[in-house]
Amino acid sequence: MLGLVVLEALQFTFLSNKLGPYASPVVLYLTAVALCFAAYQALRHRPWPVLQPVAVRSRWWWPAALALGVGLLLCVPLLAARISGTHPQDYSDIIPALTVYCQRLLAGEVVHRPLTEDLGYFLEPGYLPGTWLPFVVPEYFRFDYRWMSSFVLLLGLLGYLVVVVRLRRAALVTLGLSALPLLFTYAVLLRRADIFSLTVEPLVVGYYLLLVAGVLLPSRPLFVGALLLCLLSRYSVVFWVPLYLGLLYVNESRRGAWTVAGLAAAGVVAFYIVPVLSHDWGLFMRVQKVYTTTTLGEWNHLNDNGLPMHLYNGIGLTNFFYEFAPGDMLARLGLAKVVHLAASLAVVGGAALVYWRQRLPRTHHRLYAVIALKLYLTTFYAFLQVPYAYLAVVGFFTSFYLVVLVVGPGAGSPTSKAVVG
């Protein structure tokens, strides 16, 4: 189990694309799928307790604090070097676009209108509020946006550490579990520093780490808040949400499931539908058309070997459609979109069917939801039309939660007494 996690992490960092542009993404995807099935087999019919809070001065905290301290000592100087020495904030178009949103909000202007006058080229306002709104803070206080995205990642890692500490395992086990995502962060800073220096994707990684923490603790306020942030930053999680709500509905309470659904829907309405779409109902579809145009541009963005740079990076499977699908470029892209949607829905539908057909007692629904989320994110980003590494990194961080699930709570601790949900 741990070996699969390490292998997956290495394939994303130090061993990236070492098997070639066709074998590498296949092996990477199959490794992630094998990890999910290994976790499922290990967790079948296993109970999951309500993880009780642990006092701040408890002996279970010091290994996590040690891992966090060492991790920060390793990562922060490297992060500072990457931010200050590698690229300025405006090296890519991501942060300049986010800056326009924040400046408009602080100036009391309409935020979601084309960015043409500010960037010098036509661009629809496609970023969702969960992606740009946190950066009002660094815009107002005048510090680098990338520090803000890294801070949100840190919050997500703290959520992960809270779950680990509440397992109440032996010190070495807690230390090892706590160190896993921090070591991976360090590896990413070493080998894929552009994720931190060119993008703000650590922000979204932090959201998903908090989301899974909300599932496992369990904490409804944390889960609903993190789910809302995920929904308002990327569309990717939207197909997994009905599966999770269905698991809650069947295993906990109908009221609880409807409450979570209602709160999430209310948040989307309050932060996106009313302030954005209600003023321009055609915006959503125009943004999708822009994405198609941008994708075609990336399919024509060639590397030194004359191949699309981001399709042959060893991360996703879209290069198979580019190389082997019939028809012109637009037809191949259309087929890739259809397969992407079908694969994403198949994972969710298949997960629901497998869960329902399990023999009683079923795998605990919260454990099952996390495994399904990992498999879903893996599939979603593997079949994405442009498999940017900075987007796919979200799924890799969720792998460490699977190790936490398999290790489970300490034997004989107050948290270990529970029944299968």
Side-chain angles (χ1 to χ4, degrees), residues 270-290:
F271 290 100
Y272 184 58
I273 303 297
V274 172
V276 180
L277 289 188
S278 66
H279 299 285
D280 186 357
W281 293 106
L283 176 62
F284 180 83
M285 293 308 301
R286 292 203 307 275
V287 168
Q288 304 315 306
K289 291 180 180 179
V290 169

Side-chain angles (χ1 to χ4, degrees), residues 306-318:
L307 299 171
M309 180 176 300
H310 294 293
L311 269 64
Y312 286 80
N313 58 6
I315 300 297
L317 303 169
T318 319

Side-chain angles (χ1 to χ4, degrees), residues 168-241:
R168 306 188 187 208
R169 295 302 304 247
L172 286 179
V173 176
T174 301
L175 180 64
L177 292 176
S178 300
L180 285 175
L182 295 162
L183 290 173
F184 181 64
T185 301
Y186 183 68
V188 172
L189 282 166
L190 285 175
R191 300 307 295 261
R192 290 193 177 273
D194 56 316
I195 292 174
F196 283 86
S197 64
L198 293 181
T199 79
V200 294
E201 199 63 23
L203 175 95
V204 181
V205 174
Y207 291 166
Y208 276 86
L209 290 174
L210 291 173
L211 179 72
V212 180
V215 171
L216 296 176
L217 287 176
S219 169
R220 182 177 294 174
L222 176 60
F223 175 79
V224 172
L227 176 61
L228 187 57
L229 290 170
C230 291
L231 289 170
L232 291 175
S233 59
R234 294 278 186 270
Y235 300 124
S236 50
V237 76
V238 69
F239 295 132
W240 174 83
V241 175

Side-chain angles (χ1 to χ4, degrees), residues 109-121:
E109 301 175 5
V110 176
V111 175
H112 287 269
R113 69 176 195 271
L115 282 66
T116 308
E117 61 189 73
D118 302 276
L119 299 180
Y121 56 89

Side-chain angles (χ1 to χ4, degrees), residues 147-418:
W147 285 112
M148 185 66 194
S149 64
S150 299
F151 174 73
V152 176
L153 171 60
L154 177 60
L155 293 180
L157 291 171
L158 289 174
Y160 170 88
L161 292 179
V162 169
V163 175
V164 171
V165 169
R166 290 193 183 186
L167 296 179
R168 306 188 187 208
R169 295 302 304 247
L172 286 179
V173 176
T174 301
L175 180 64
L177 292 176
S178 300
L180 285 175
L182 295 162
L183 290 173
F184 181 64
T185 301
Y186 183 68
V188 172
L189 282 166
L190 285 175
R191 300 307 295 261
R192 290 193 177 273
D194 56 316
I195 292 174
F196 283 86
S197 64
L198 293 181
T199 79
V200 294
E201 199 63 23
L203 175 95
V204 181
V205 174
Y207 291 166
Y208 276 86
L209 290 174
L210 291 173
L211 179 72
V212 180
V215 171
L216 296 176
L217 287 176
S219 169
R220 182 177 294 174
L222 176 60
F223 175 79
V224 172
L227 176 61
L228 187 57
L229 290 170
C230 291
L231 289 170
L232 291 175
S233 59
R234 294 278 186 270
Y235 300 124
S236 50
V237 76
V238 69
F239 295 132
W240 174 83
V241 175
L243 173 64
Y244 181 74
L245 293 177
L247 292 172
L248 287 184
Y249 188 91
V250 170
N251 293 283
E252 293 190 16
S253 73
R254 297 179 180 181
R255 175 179 291 184
W258 284 114
T259 299
V260 171
L263 290 173
V268 172
V269 170
F271 290 100
Y272 184 58
I273 303 297
V274 172
V276 180
L277 289 188
S278 66
H279 299 285
D280 186 357
W281 293 106
L283 176 62
F284 180 83
M285 293 308 301
R286 292 203 307 275
V287 168
Q288 304 315 306
K289 291 180 180 179
V290 169
Y291 286 156
T292 299
T293 302
T294 303
T295 299
L296 283 173
E298 290 291 6
W299 281 36
N300 288 293
H301 182 196
L302 307 182
N303 59 21
D304 294 338
N305 297 321
L307 299 171
M309 180 176 300
H310 294 293
L311 269 64
Y312 286 80
N313 58 6
I315 300 297
L317 303 169
T318 319
N319 55 348
F320 287 92
F321 295 92
Y322 175 85
E323 182 68 28
F324 302 111
D328 59 15
M329 193 82 71
L330 191 60
R332 284 176 275 170
L333 175 58
L335 178 61
K337 285 185 174 183
V338 171
V339 173
H340 180 215
L341 178 61
S344 301
L345 291 175
V347 167
V348 174
L353 181 63
V354 168
Y355 182 81
W356 189 255
R357 292 178 64 87
Q358 287 182 91
R359 291 179 296 176
L360 296 176
R362 296 187 179 98
T363 304
H364 193 283
H365 59 285
R366 293 186 180 275
L367 308 185
Y368 194 82
V370 176
I371 297 171
L373 177 62
K374 164 62 182 176
L375 182 60
Y376 170 74
L377 290 174
T378 295
T379 302
F380 186 92
Y381 288 114
F383 287 94
L384 199 63
Q385 287 78 62
V386 184
Y388 295 111
Y390 74 85
L391 294 177
V393 74
V394 174
F396 293 100
F397 271 92
T398 59
S399 298
F400 304 113
Y401 271 114
L402 299 190
V403 181
V404 170
L405 298 185
V406 172
V407 170
S413 71
T415 61
S416 66
K417 299 176 182 179

